């Protein structure tokens, strides 16, 4: 009898303050590009009520629908169960655990911005997500 020793996919958690913009875009791009080859989560230290409408519009322009996403609160469990934690301006609100890989992506906050201001942030997040996939050895 053979047993499957399939390695579970790497898990990535995107964190920003409101989980309404940057972290939603990061999670959406990673899900879009990697499918089920990466487990993707996003959360915020002080989640908003809804995803930023300008972010929804900007992502729709590249064929990714985030209109049904809802901001989620950051939990210790979400961090503990992730291999890579990408912070986007959550500062010290993100718990740190040994053995986790932490990346801090300094990006402009799209809160209160129109879609024109969100586009360059979206492009930079996509570039960084593609770089992360390359580091993880996963083809986009």
């Amino acid at each position: 009898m053979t047993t499957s020793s399939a390695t579970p996919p790497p898990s990535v958690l995107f964190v920003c303050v409101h989980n309404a913009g940057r972290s939603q875009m990061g999670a959406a791009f990673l899900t879009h590009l990697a499918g089920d080859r990466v487990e993707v989560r996003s959360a915020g230290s002080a989640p908003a009520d809804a995803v930023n409408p300008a972010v929804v519009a900007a992502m729709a322009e590249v064929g990714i629908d985030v209109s049904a996403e809802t901001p989620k609160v950051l939990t210790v469990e979400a961090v503990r169960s992730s291999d890579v934690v990408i912070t986007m301006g959550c500062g010290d609100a993100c718990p740190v655990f040994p053995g986790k890989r932490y990346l801090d992506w300094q990006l402009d906050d799209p809160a209160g911005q129109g879609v024109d201001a969100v586009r360059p942030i979206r492009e930079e997040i996509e570039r960084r997500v593609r770089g992360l996939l390359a580091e993880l050895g996963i083809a986009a």
Side-chain angles (χ1 to χ4, degrees):
M1 182 168 101
T2 59
T3 56
S4 174
S5 61
T7 306
S11 57
V12 177
L13 170 64
F14 291 92
V15 182
C16 67
V17 175
H18 301 298
N19 190 218
R22 295 166 290 185
S23 56
Q24 290 284 351
M25 287 190 282
F29 272 122
L30 188 54
T31 299
H32 179 74
L33 295 169
D36 60 3
R37 295 171 296 160
V38 178
E39 185 180 350
V40 182
R41 298 180 183 89
S42 72
S45 52
D49 294 329
V51 175
N52 180 334
V55 167
V56 173
M59 293 302 285
E61 290 177 350
V62 294
I64 300 174
D65 182 5
V66 296
S67 62
E69 297 298 325
T70 55
K72 293 168 274 315
V73 70
L74 176 65
T75 64
V76 169
E77 185 50 40
V79 176
R80 185 178 288 131
S81 57
S82 298
D83 299 311
V84 180
V85 179
I86 299 173
T87 57
M88 302 167 154
C90 77
D92 298 332
C94 192
V96 175
F97 291 99
K100 302 289 174 201
R101 180 172 175 207
Y102 289 88
L103 302 172
D104 185 37
W105 291 359
Q106 297 293 322
L107 298 159
D108 290 337
D109 188 347
Q113 307 275 357
V115 73
D116 288 344
V118 173
R119 284 186 191 110
I121 302 167
R122 176 196 68 201
E123 300 305 319
E124 180 60 17
I125 289 172
E126 180 181 12
R127 187 187 70 74
R128 292 182 189 202
V129 165
R130 287 180 182 278
L132 175 66
L133 281 169
E135 289 174 29
L136 294 173
I138 297 170

